[in-house]
Amino acid sequence: AGYGALSVLIEPMWLALPEGHAAAARRVLRQADIADTPLVIFPRAVTPSLYDAVLALQRARGLTPQVAQEAIQMQTIVNLVSAGIGMAWVPETVTRLQRPGVVYRRLPGAALQAETSLIWREPASPVVQGFVEKVRGRLSPAPKRRQSPLP
């Protein structure tokens, strides 16, 4: 028995900054604008690939990542940013979550992406198979959609 997977969405990551952050007024961020800003991030145990990618991006840009707080829900992460705890990398769709005290900005050259996928245990029950087919039918053609067994 293994797992099946269907990629549903791949989107760029944006920075969520506290509204009072010195760089919040800038439309285009520079690396120096965020150099000393701590991170609010998912714990590595929950999303190891995202955690590692965020820290690797910062290190590759000469920044020393410092994690101020970890949280397991995106809304909690955005709320922590609003409280001024730090900045967070969030998927583009989260920028629609207009939380007072938070601004969203792109960092030029930051190629972080988030992938949202359905994962299910194989062999799948008829209900799960039906759900996966409904989702598959609603997806617009995308260049990186996949369904593959996972170990």
Side-chain angles (χ1 to χ4, degrees):
Y3 292 89
L6 176 65
S7 178
V8 176
L9 178 65
I10 298 172
E11 59 187 321
M13 300 286 283
W14 288 56
L15 274 173
L17 294 167
E19 192 172 51
H21 191 282
R26 298 181 68 83
R27 281 300 194 212
V28 178
L29 291 182
R30 298 170 305 171
Q31 180 174 305
D33 295 331
I34 60 165
D36 297 324
T37 308
L39 291 167
V40 179
I41 193 169
F42 279 97
R44 188 174 191 286
V46 174
T47 57
S49 60
L50 177 59
Y51 187 96
D52 291 348
V54 166
L55 269 59
L57 172 71
Q58 291 209 235
R59 286 184 186 117
R61 290 175 161 251
L63 303 173
T64 302
Q66 52 186 351
V67 176
Q69 184 71 46
E70 295 180 345
I72 61 170
Q73 293 184 345
M74 194 55 71
Q75 185 163 345
T76 302
I77 289 173
V78 173
N79 287 339
L80 290 167
V81 169
S82 174
I85 303 298
M87 67 178 183
W89 286 95
V90 299
E92 185 175 42
T93 53
V94 172
T95 65
R96 295 182 192 128
L97 181 62
Q98 293 299 310
R99 172 81 167 94
V102 177
V103 296
Y104 300 99
R105 299 287 185 263
R106 296 291 310 266
L107 183 62
L112 284 178
Q113 293 186 319
E115 181 174 2
T116 302
S117 298
L118 290 178
I119 308 288
W120 63 93
R121 192 178 306 243
E122 293 284 12
S125 71
V127 171
V128 171
Q129 288 175 9
F131 179 74
V132 170
E133 290 309 313
K134 281 276 190 199
V135 171
R136 184 178 282 117
R138 306 271 306 180
L139 293 174
S140 59
K144 288 184 81 177
R145 214 168 3 138
R146 73 174 178 359
Q147 178 179 354
S148 60
L150 299 174

